[in-house]
Amino acid sequence: MDDVIRMLRYNTGTDKKAFVKFKNDFDAVIFNATIVAYSGAAVADLVSVHKNQYIIDPQTHILQHSVHAIMSKKSRNGQPCIKKSVQKYLEQLPPRIQNIISNERRPLSVAEMRDVIDDLTQSIYEFETKYVDRFIEKKEYSKYLKYINAGPAPRVVIAPYFMLKKEMSDRERSEVFHLNKLYMQRFLEIHRENGENCPAAAQLVMDKEVLTDEKLLERICESYREENFEYFFIWINDFSSWDCSREEKQCFCELLSTLNEIGKKPVMSYGGYDSIFLCNKEIKPRLYGAAQSVGYGETRTITPVGGGLPVNKYYFRPLHKRMRFDEALNILIDTGYFDPEKGNDEHAADYYRNICDCEQCHEVIQNDINNFNTYNESVPYIVKARFGNITRNRPTQEAALVAAFHFLFSKQKEWQDVEKYRLSELRDMLIADYETFGTEHQRANIKEWCEIFAG
């Protein structure tokens, strides 16, 4: 699977321990542009010392959204303000764009986005290819990297893009496709002028409801068929091909088939095991990569909706899902993993045989299944509520870290399995695990998914 890109999405410094441990299990690290703008020095260290191949998502869709979507709740004077990471990124873009968003407090119109194609595309290309280098040049190790000619470099560069929203009219969606095509063409011109040292990519960002738009595939072909780029990143708002309707599954399958047919390699910007599975070389509507994140679920909303209260999460590998710890525990209880008729050491052996035998689970559980509760360790904290303080529990740092390690060991195994096993074997294993551990609805859903994507 040489043309498949296994990506680990980096969010904050708290991801670093997990990232460093698993850096060799992924082909590239992917960052959102706002994180790179805000933490340039830290990103430079990360890609220089740990992972030379990186990808920056230019996040140009933020220029379309209401300014409230990119604001923090309060500043020093109590008024909402643009998030520091977004503001730092806007400072790297043409001044006209920064003025509209920061001072006029509004998104850009389609006409305004069309007027800045040359300047914005140039600034985005330079940000993706040169911004990190500015910080590396200030580091002591830069001389050594130059000496051995081994500095970090982009694995893929992504052209500026704009989002297809569910509330858009047919005309507005057509305008966005045309805009994306113009930006793609200009981006490729700049890429060729700079020597094309890595593949270029488009990115399609859209609400889930747009999947069923009968003109979607036709417009994709019109906009991208003739353009000379390799990868096609896909980000569908809060989307999992396992959990959507049958119609959405079929439309997603047709989307992948269409991209394959026009010679583009689709990649999921946020993906779970469904995305990894679809990278198997026997799959017909095939994917060529997926990104996972240490810090949150494998689907992602395009505009922030708030993180909610922190809870202990555990990746239940037979179902290939990250879930609340209590949900995972209940599955184990229901399937007999705490039955007193067996010893705790026997249950631990069963766990390693049927659930997960990763290094992290062996370290946590050892020979006593009751140690599984280590994944649920928590500490109390106070939430200030309208009618007084409320005590809640949140994961300890240790519990969060071991859960992250377990998650990435699971991803490591999933990628290995998708490369190792034939499609029929992967399908049979998936259905068998859902027969054992899934609900009736989940079993029916996974069979439907396999029928559409891996029949």
Side-chain angles (χ1 to χ4, degrees):
M1 299 200 303
D2 291 342
D3 50 355
V4 170
I5 310 176
R6 302 167 302 168
M7 293 170 286
L8 186 59
R9 188 174 287 274
Y10 188 87
N11 300 292
T12 67
T14 57
D15 294 351
K16 188 172 181 179
K17 282 185 180 179
F19 176 84
V20 170
K21 185 175 179 66
F22 292 90
K23 62 185 179 182
N24 294 327
D25 295 302
F26 293 86
D27 302 307
V29 55
I30 183 168
F31 304 93
N32 283 340
T34 51
I35 290 172
V36 177
Y38 188 68
S39 306
V43 168
D45 288 341
L46 196 75
V47 299
S48 296
V49 178
H50 298 296
K51 198 71 190 177
N52 295 93
Q53 296 282 297
Y54 66 89
I55 300 167
I56 298 175
D57 180 343
Q59 286 184 286
T60 39
H61 66 88
I62 64 176
L63 307 182
Q64 292 174 275
H65 303 314
S66 164
V67 175
H68 295 292
I70 56 173
M71 297 181 85
S72 299
K73 291 182 178 178
K74 288 184 179 180
S75 64
R76 290 181 181 177
N77 62 6
Q79 297 300 313
C81 61
I82 293 176
K83 294 175 183 176
K84 290 181 179 179
S85 59
V86 175
Q87 185 61 44
K88 291 281 277 186
Y89 184 44
L90 293 176
E91 290 168 5
Q92 306 304 315
L93 305 183
R96 182 179 175 186
I97 292 175
Q98 185 181 348
N99 180 61
I100 290 172
I101 294 176
S102 299
N103 298 329
E104 297 181 22
R105 298 293 179 95
R106 63 175 178 83
L108 274 71
S109 68
V110 170
E112 287 167 333
M113 288 187 255
R114 193 181 297 115
D115 287 344
V116 295
I117 286 176
D118 286 345
D119 290 344
L120 179 56
T121 307
Q122 184 69 48
S123 63
I124 292 294
Y125 190 85
E126 290 182 1
F127 185 84
E128 290 187 47
T129 58
K130 298 178 181 178
Y131 185 79
V132 174
D133 288 343
R134 296 180 205 167
F135 292 90
I136 294 174
E137 288 169 2
K138 300 174 185 177
K139 304 284 185 177
E140 281 294 320
Y141 54 68
S142 65
K143 296 176 184 177
Y144 173 72
L145 292 176
K146 287 179 182 177
Y147 178 74
I148 63 172
N149 194 28
R155 174 65 177 82
V156 173
V157 288
I158 302 174
Y161 59 86
F162 299 98
M163 179 184 172
L164 298 164
K165 300 184 181 183
K166 60 186 177 183
E167 64 268 21
M168 285 178 172
S169 66
D170 183 69
R171 179 184 60 80
E172 288 172 323
R173 290 181 188 179
S174 178
E175 288 177 341
V176 169
F177 265 111
H178 183 61
L179 198 62
N180 285 345
K181 180 177 182 176
L182 293 175
Y183 271 93
M184 185 81 237
Q185 290 173 334
R186 180 63 189 126
F187 190 81
L188 290 174
E189 288 174 2
I190 296 170
H191 193 40
R192 285 191 293 270
E193 291 165 5
N194 281 271
E196 297 188 7
N197 293 322
C198 65
Q203 183 155 209
L204 179 68
V205 176
M206 63 184 182
D207 280 322
K208 184 166 59 175
E209 291 79 2
V210 180
L211 259 181
T212 55
D213 184 338
E214 60 184 16
K215 295 183 180 179
L216 177 66
L217 302 184
E218 176 188 342
R219 284 172 171 159
I220 286 173
C221 290
E222 288 174 355
S223 301
Y224 298 108
R225 182 194 293 272
E226 302 302 325
E227 304 306 325
N228 186 26
F229 64 91
E230 186 172 353
Y231 290 97
F232 198 101
F233 283 68
I234 301 169
W235 181 8
I236 304 173
N237 191 35
D238 199 23
F239 175 79
S240 163
S241 69
W242 277 359
D243 300 327
C244 60
S245 68
R246 183 181 184 89
E247 181 186 17
E248 288 166 340
K249 288 184 181 74
Q250 289 172 329
C251 289
F252 182 62
C253 184
E254 290 168 7
L255 169 62
L256 299 186
S257 296
T258 298
L259 291 171
N260 282 204
E261 287 167 7
I262 65 173
K264 309 306 177 189
K265 296 175 181 175
V267 172
M268 291 304 287
S269 295
Y270 296 85
Y273 180 63
D274 56 335
S275 300
I276 295 174
F277 188 109
L278 292 175
C279 290
N280 179 270
K281 61 185 177 182
E282 292 183 59
I283 290 274
K284 294 304 179 186
R286 191 183 173 195
L287 281 171
Y288 288 84
Q292 278 85 43
S293 167
V294 179
Y296 46 74
E298 296 168 277
T299 65
R300 188 73 167 166
T301 55
I302 292 167
T303 54
V305 293
L309 297 174
V311 295
N312 293 77
K313 292 289 185 74
Y314 169 82
Y315 190 78
F316 195 80
R317 203 162 84 191
L319 300 182
H320 304 280
K321 283 184 175 292
R322 187 167 4 204
M323 57 182 67
R324 291 200 324 264
F325 174 85
D326 61 306
E327 293 174 328
L329 180 62
N330 285 335
I331 293 174
L332 293 181
I333 291 171
D334 291 344
T335 48
Y337 279 81
F338 292 89
D339 191 323
E341 291 186 6
K342 266 189 176 183
N344 288 347
D345 58 337
E346 294 177 280
H347 283 310
D350 289 341
Y351 176 95
Y352 298 136
R353 185 164 46 251
N354 302 318
I355 308 297
C356 182
D357 64 347
C358 79
E359 179 183 315
Q360 187 61 65
C361 282
H362 275 281
E363 184 179 318
V364 167
I365 296 171
Q366 300 178 37
N367 292 318
D368 185 350
I369 193 63
N370 286 331
N371 290 332
F372 180 69
N373 198 54
T374 300
Y375 285 114
N376 194 38
E377 286 182 351
S378 58
V379 291
Y381 71 103
I382 303 297
V383 177
K384 293 183 179 180
R386 183 178 178 184
F387 299 107
N389 293 340
I390 301 172
T391 301
R392 292 283 188 265
N393 290 318
R394 65 181 171 205
T396 63
Q397 287 187 339
E398 178 63 19
L401 187 61
V402 296
F405 279 13
H406 163 70
F407 171 74
L408 290 175
F409 274 120
S410 297
K411 294 292 122 185
Q412 176 193 72
K413 181 70 162 56
E414 288 171 353
W415 279 112
Q416 290 169 352
D417 286 351
V418 164
E419 187 169 9
K420 174 182 176 182
Y421 291 108
R422 295 185 60 83
L423 175 59
S424 59
E425 295 173 304
L426 291 171
R427 182 180 61 235
D428 291 347
M429 288 188 293
L430 182 61
I431 291 173
D433 280 336
Y434 268 81
E435 287 289 346
T436 303
F437 298 104
T439 64
E440 184 176 348
H441 172 74
Q442 288 173 328
R443 289 193 290 271
N445 188 56
I446 215 67
K447 288 177 180 176
E448 179 180 86
W449 186 87
C450 288
E451 172 195 331
I452 294 170
F453 291 93

